[in-house]
Amino acid sequence: MAPLPDGFSYAEWNATYNALSFGIAAMGSATIFFWLQLPNVTKNYRTALTITGIVTLIATYHYIRIFNSWSEAFTVASKDGGDYTVQLTGAPFNDGYRYVDWLLPVPLLLIELILVMKLPQQETVSLSWKLGLASALMVALGYPGEIQEDLSVGWFWLCLSMIPFCYVVFTLAVGLAEATSKQPSPAAASLASAARYLTVLSWCTYPFVYMVKSVGLAGPAATMYEQVGYSLADVLAKAVFGVLIWAIAAEKSAVEESGKLLPA
């Protein structure tokens, strides 16, 4: 874990502070919403919705830890009514919490999508294992490059992590297309398709944020863009994605319930 660069402006420090705070609020409120909605979906989809809430709960915990670590790493003060100055306290900023956060929830994100699509049992188990392990491997391979100061080493680990990344993205974009078309209603199919493509879109932002330090940015600006970028991508990939999972579960529950109410 590399030490933080010195020379943060108040705007750079505050942008990161607010992005992390937004992450806590988004993940925490999403968790409450998902679990309150459990009684409103049928039994078939409660596991997927429960997992969705677990993902955002884990993210809430880690965002609190990242936020606290960021706050403890700096002293922000104004002297004699002047501009705020930002100084390092010497305490470490532990950004490794992000990778701990991704290691478990990222596979769960894919599993909850597979569960809510209600595929045949054998296909559900097979895809859950394949996508879950591939996504965990992607995160594990990305971490060594994130903590490197040597850009060539960082690029090496990025290229390795992109191998499972491409497999997962291809499966979401192409491999699940047929299963999406077999959803019980046009609305459910549309929502499932939106969830797949939102995952692809949000995931594709992570490599670009990862490469921030490789495109000429350095010091406080690079750290700020990295933290803000990861925070926004996380909210899309977890909280917003979770809302789509809930919407799919609610739509399919309504279809199933209406089918039971049809006269014999």
Side-chain angles (χ1 to χ4, degrees):
M1 183 170 58
L4 284 167
D6 203 356
F8 276 86
S9 68
Y10 178 68
E12 290 167 335
W13 175 86
N14 198 42
T16 302
Y17 183 94
N18 289 332
L20 296 174
S21 179
F22 175 69
I24 296 171
M27 302 298 185
S29 58
T31 302
I32 296 169
F33 173 76
F34 298 145
W35 286 350
L36 286 176
Q37 289 299 313
L38 281 172
N40 298 328
V41 301
T42 61
K43 215 172 158 184
N44 292 328
Y45 307 107
R46 286 176 188 166
T47 299
L49 202 55
T50 300
I51 292 174
T52 306
I54 291 172
V55 166
T56 51
L57 178 65
I58 293 171
T60 302
Y61 167 76
H62 283 111
Y63 263 84
I64 291 172
R65 298 301 301 269
I66 298 169
F67 178 86
N68 288 341
S69 183
W70 181 260
S71 299
E72 291 165 3
F74 297 92
T75 298
V76 182
S78 172
K79 291 184 179 179
D80 302 322
D83 292 339
Y84 286 101
T85 58
V86 179
Q87 295 181 330
L88 296 174
T89 63
F93 172 55
N94 188 357
D95 195 30
Y97 285 125
R98 285 199 183 278
Y99 280 82
V100 177
D101 176 54
W102 292 336
L103 192 59
L104 180 59
V106 167
L108 289 177
L109 283 169
L110 300 173
I111 291 171
E112 71 193 50
L113 176 60
I114 294 166
L115 288 175
V116 83
M117 291 182 74
K118 204 180 177 184
L119 303 173
Q121 184 176 1
Q122 186 175 357
E123 188 177 358
T124 296
V125 173
S126 175
L127 276 173
S128 295
W129 275 106
K130 288 177 183 177
L131 294 180
L133 290 174
S135 59
L137 181 62
M138 173 192 71
V139 174
L141 289 172
Y143 181 66
E146 183 74 56
I147 61 175
Q148 293 293 328
E149 290 296 306
D150 188 331
L151 293 181
S152 62
V153 177
W155 277 101
F156 170 77
W157 286 105
L158 174 63
C159 291
L160 284 182
S161 68
M162 289 300 290
I163 297 171
F165 172 88
C166 289
Y167 167 73
V168 173
V169 168
F170 177 81
T171 302
L172 289 172
V174 179
L176 290 176
E178 183 179 353
T180 301
S181 66
K182 293 180 180 178
Q183 295 301 300
S185 73
S190 177
L191 288 166
S193 181
R196 286 166 47 224
Y197 288 115
L198 174 65
T199 303
V200 171
L201 175 65
S202 61
W203 277 35
C204 284
T205 63
Y206 287 99
F208 288 104
V209 177
Y210 187 98
M211 293 186 289
V212 158
K213 295 175 183 176
S214 305
V215 294
L217 287 174
T223 300
M224 178 198 69
Y225 283 118
E226 188 177 54
Q227 294 304 317
V228 172
Y230 279 146
S231 298
L232 294 177
D234 276 348
V235 170
L236 282 175
K238 296 173 184 176
V240 177
F241 175 79
V243 171
L244 287 174
I245 293 296
W246 160 77
I248 296 168
E251 169 64 20
K252 294 178 76 170
S253 296
V255 171
E256 292 177 6
E257 289 295 327
S258 64
K260 291 178 184 177
L261 294 174
L262 290 175

